[in-house]
Amino acid sequence: MKEPELIPINLDDKFGFACHKDVPCFNHCCKDLNQALTPYDVVRLKKHLHLTSREFLKRYAVVYSGPATGLPVASLRFSADQDRHCPFVTPDGCKVYEARPSSCRIYPLARAIRRSRSDGRITEHYAVLKEDHCLGFEEDSRRTVRQWISDQKLETYHRMNDAMMELIALKNQLRPGELSPEHQEMARMAFYDLDTLMEKALSGELPALDHDHLRPLPEKNKDEAWLIWSLAWIAQVLFGKRINPNVA
């Protein structure tokens, strides 16, 4: 298979693309993938499906240790048949469209971020990921990158995922390689099992709760706030470092 072409693009540049039922390759990209899920993807999906974190992971995901970071990574569990299709795809499209993962939302764009060492500011870099098999590029619809981000409701996904990237950068800098089994389980809970983390935090069972930047605890029903808090908590536990818990 030919490697996709990455074409750099600026926020206010336009590109042509659309995906809908009348595009001949509709749904073809929803199978035979290694579909990683960010912690925020899991939060949105489990809320949409009215499941607990544990129920969602058991039904729809596999969690393993990432080879590059040594941190837990969740991957969507595709069907075991020959098609290996996404569990949420239907002939009419995605049945969890409103809560679809960030990698699905942003396609056909790719995004990279860079943090300045001098002032900590994040800059974004985008590219169009052009694949020969995707016929959506033959559609007339043209939008800027900025419009695409807004149309796909990616702003909050980006903020949440950037907080995760800050944690990964700390891990690579301070603790390369595998975590201990105890710390691996703590990181798994912080990333993908907010219900358990919330229960333990509210009952005072977690370490490091005495740090000022981890108080007060978020309100019980605020999953997004709990996710940001959980990343700040695990950064304190693993690295003794503070990351900004107010990203969202």
Side-chain angles (χ1 to χ4, degrees), residues 28-74:
H28 287 191
C29 58
C30 301
K31 57 187 178 182
D32 200 20
L33 294 174
N34 182 12
Q35 179 79 46
L37 298 172
T38 69
Y40 188 56
D41 289 337
V42 172
V43 166
R44 290 292 300 268
L45 284 164
K46 68 108 174 173
K47 287 176 68 174
H48 183 81
L49 294 165
H50 305 291
L51 298 172
T52 67
S53 302
R54 281 161 286 187
E55 289 170 337
F56 176 83
L57 292 175
K58 184 176 180 179
R59 295 187 195 183
Y60 296 114
V62 177
V63 182
Y64 56 95
S65 178
T69 66
L71 291 169
V73 176

Side-chain angles (χ1 to χ4, degrees), residues 9 11 111-114 122-126 149 158 162:
I9 190 170
L11 275 170
R111 175 180 182 260
I113 61 171
R114 184 173 299 162
I122 290 177
T123 55
E124 299 177 300
H125 304 272
Y126 288 92
I149 292 168
H158 285 173
D162 289 352

